[in-house]
Amino acid sequence: MKKRMICAVLLVSSLAVLSACGNKVENAEKVSDTETQSSNDSVPEWLESFYNSSYEYRKSTTVLENDIEDTIAVVEGKVAASPYKEYVKIVEPAGSAWSEAWFYGDGDEINAILNTENGYVRQDTRRSYPYGQGSELSLSKDRTEEYNGISCDVYTAEYTVDLAEEINQEVGETIITEPITAVISQEYYVDPEQDQLLCMITDSTDRQGKTEIANRVMNDNITAEEAQKLVSVDEVTKEKLEILSYDDSLEIEIPEI
């Protein structure tokens, strides 16, 4: 329980609203039902449209341990695509460091305004993108499944991230000298009639474990192989991003402080 509470605090205190930074990808052709699509070639139209749309969303993070599933964090928000603005409200847990936030700006370096118990606070931060954006995705249609009363095509994908590289870039120096790679797997629920992404489920279990290894390497001054022997991940961590509505006329007002 203590571990989960710490995890929840980290999740909702982070300024990474949609997780996993990535670069924007270029427009490409639509993927067929039987075709496997890689970001080296093209991105399916429904995914490219999602990356560049304005929408409202709900994001929940769950952990599964010993067949017991707990929802440890829930946020609701909306994104205005151009110019980029984002609003986020924390639904769970109560007592977070901030209750709502606004993000805006051009490029990767953006502004954030947080509504805290002591009033509004402005910060500089880096823009975060949906899991997988900018990564080399290999998308395959896996099955057809009902989601919210809609018969959806479900696509799957996996990609790899190097946490050592991410950490070194974040701090501006090389503090981890060996790769620490994590595999992230995803499911995309797509409405074939509207050609729209409705839901994205990301399994970040391996990333959570490799993050612990990276922390051990940094804090204990040991190798990744040594850290691996000390880390045990007994729970499955998933993030469910639900697109509540698409709205190109969506507007977000940034508080004046």
Side-chain angles (χ1 to χ4, degrees):
M1 178 62 70
K2 180 179 179 181
K3 180 179 179 182
R4 292 186 183 181
M5 290 178 65
I6 292 172
C7 183
V9 170
L10 291 175
L11 282 165
V12 298
S13 297
S14 170
L15 296 185
V17 178
L18 289 179
S19 310
C21 287
N23 297 318
K24 291 184 178 179
V25 284
E26 300 300 323
N27 289 322
E29 298 177 356
K30 181 180 177 182
V31 63
S32 68
D33 286 352
T34 58
E35 188 178 11
T36 296
Q37 204 79 11
S38 168
S39 63
N40 289 332
D41 306 317
S42 60
V43 176
E45 187 175 318
W46 53 262
L47 187 54
E48 180 68 21
S49 177
F50 165 66
Y51 288 155
N52 294 286
S53 292
S54 299
Y55 56 89
E56 297 191 47
Y57 67 87
R58 179 181 177 90
K59 184 175 70 173
S60 55
T61 303
T62 61
V63 293
L64 176 66
E65 185 176 15
N66 297 326
D67 295 325
I68 299 175
E69 184 176 272
D70 285 343
T71 299
I72 61 173
V74 178
V75 301
E76 292 179 349
K78 49 188 177 180
V79 175
S82 182
Y84 166 73
K85 295 180 182 178
E86 185 162 2
Y87 168 75
V88 182
K89 178 180 70 176
I90 293 179
V91 179
E92 298 178 24
S96 303
W98 49 269
S99 59
E100 53 185 350
W102 295 260
F103 302 86
Y104 60 99
D106 297 322
D108 289 334
E109 302 297 329
I110 61 171
N111 302 299
I113 296 177
L114 310 180
N115 186 4
T116 73
E117 60 181 9
N118 297 318
Y120 290 117
V121 176
R122 186 190 302 274
Q123 293 183 356
D124 296 328
T125 189
R126 289 183 61 82
R127 180 177 174 181
S128 293
Y129 298 95
Y131 271 115
Q133 185 168 345
S135 298
E136 294 186 3
L137 297 178
S138 183
L139 287 156
S140 299
K141 182 179 176 181
D142 182 68
R143 63 191 185 276
T144 299
E145 186 173 314
E146 188 169 295
Y147 170 79
N148 284 350
I150 299 173
S151 181
C152 289
D153 293 336
V154 181
Y155 292 83
T156 59
E158 280 190 351
Y159 67 97
T160 302
V161 294
D162 185 347
L163 297 181
E165 182 179 343
E166 288 185 2
I167 292 170
N168 291 339
Q169 289 179 348
E170 185 68 25
V171 300
E173 61 178 301
T174 302
I175 59 176
I176 301 180
T177 57
E178 53 187 321
I180 301 178
T181 57
V183 176
I184 298 174
S185 58
Q186 296 182 281
E187 292 183 329
Y188 300 80
Y189 288 72
V190 180
D191 179 351
E193 296 294 327
Q194 300 296 323
D195 201 31
Q196 285 186 332
L197 176 66
L198 302 183
C199 177
M200 182 168 66
I201 299 176
T202 303
D203 188 330
S204 59
T205 304
D206 192 43
R207 184 185 179 98
Q208 296 293 331
K210 296 301 173 56
T211 299
E212 281 197 47
I213 291 174
N215 288 333
R216 290 274 189 172
V217 171
M218 290 187 294
N219 297 330
D220 301 341
N221 195 27
I222 59 178
T223 67
E225 183 178 357
E226 292 170 327
Q228 175 74 62
K229 298 175 182 178
L230 302 174
V231 172
S232 176
V233 178
D234 300 320
E235 57 189 30
V236 175
T237 303
K238 290 188 177 183
E239 177 189 281
K240 183 177 184 180
L241 177 65
E242 300 176 272
I243 311 305
L244 304 180
S245 65
Y246 287 92
D247 183 0
D248 289 337
S249 64
L250 186 151
E251 294 185 1
I252 299 174
E253 293 188 11
I254 305 299
E256 296 183 4
I257 63 170

